[in-house]
Amino acid sequence: KRFRGTRSQTRLIAHYMADALHYQFTGRPGIALTTIAFHSDRNGFQELYLMDYDGHNQRRISGHKSTSGYSDWSPAGDAIAYMSYFSGTPGIYYVELATGNKVPVYRQAPLNLSPSFSPDGRRIAFAHSRGSNTDVYVCDRDCRDPVRLTTSAAIDTNPSWSPDGRYLYFLGD
């Protein structure tokens, strides 16, 4: 293969080459062109950031000037769901990566965390507390009426979808 570009594109070309070599030897896509979501308090608040896999091109995407965390990528890579204390109590939001819009999903008190996109990207599962118990709920992205999925006296949190979207796995106390 031949890779061409300008001097300013050298890093990007190296990423393309690394992925091409990885694919040639393993038959699987490489990670050199991927993006990582992470949390940092570098501006005095716990915010959500993105960066290239090698640490370059770091940029803040939440910008609530609050504590934000527990992020999850949408399957299409167009959004990241997360929890933030932006409205006072921890609410579930997602940020549209193309526009930077921060969309509230569910903010009913007292506690919401651990959002997880379904494999089709249309639904979000999350942990929500009503009273003294935390259970797993699921709703569409606009979350008008979340459905409670667990009802045990234990603390149920950190939902994660099966690849086919038929099941949710979670941590139970």
Side-chain angles (χ1 to χ4, degrees):
K1 282 195 167 184
R2 183 179 297 228
F3 296 90
R4 294 182 186 181
T6 64
R7 182 177 290 254
S8 65
Q9 296 172 317
T10 303
R11 196 174 135 274
L12 182 61
I13 293 168
H15 291 192
Y16 276 106
M17 288 175 58
D19 277 353
L21 286 168
H22 188 273
Y23 187 80
Q24 179 67 33
F25 289 109
T26 68
R28 298 188 330 233
I31 63 167
L33 293 170
T34 60
T35 303
I36 296 170
F38 68 100
H39 310 139
S40 174
D41 63 357
R42 66 182 67 183
N43 70 344
F45 301 99
Q46 187 73 20
E47 298 282 5
L48 185 62
Y49 288 78
L50 295 180
M51 70 178 175
D52 295 347
Y53 92 103
D54 60 0
H56 286 267
N57 195 25
Q58 294 184 19
R59 59 234 182 249
R60 187 181 67 210
I61 61 167
S62 58
H64 290 297
K65 294 185 178 176
S66 180
T67 298
S68 300
Y70 293 100
S71 61
D72 186 52
W73 285 89
S74 69
D78 64 334
I80 295 178
Y82 60 99
M83 175 279 308
S84 180
Y85 281 83
F86 174 67
S87 62
T89 60
I92 303 296
Y93 299 82
Y94 68 86
V95 59
E96 297 170 335
L97 297 178
T99 64
N101 287 342
K102 285 104 181 144
V103 180
V105 175
Y106 196 72
R107 299 180 292 182
Q108 298 297 318
L111 179 69
N112 303 287
L113 43 94
S114 307
S116 176
F117 274 107
S118 63
D120 64 7
R122 296 185 318 193
R123 296 173 293 161
I124 297 175
F126 60 96
H128 170 67
S129 291
R130 285 195 177 155
S132 62
N133 193 30
T134 303
D135 285 301
V136 174
Y137 288 73
V138 67
C139 62
D140 292 333
R141 278 191 182 196
D142 63 2
C143 206
R144 290 190 175 95
D145 191 24
V147 175
R148 184 178 182 178
L149 299 180
T150 62
T151 57
S152 71
I155 296 172
D156 299 327
T157 188
N158 294 81
S160 181
W161 296 83
S162 65
D164 63 6
R166 293 180 58 206
Y167 302 98
L168 270 168
Y169 306 96
F170 61 91
L171 295 176
D173 185 19

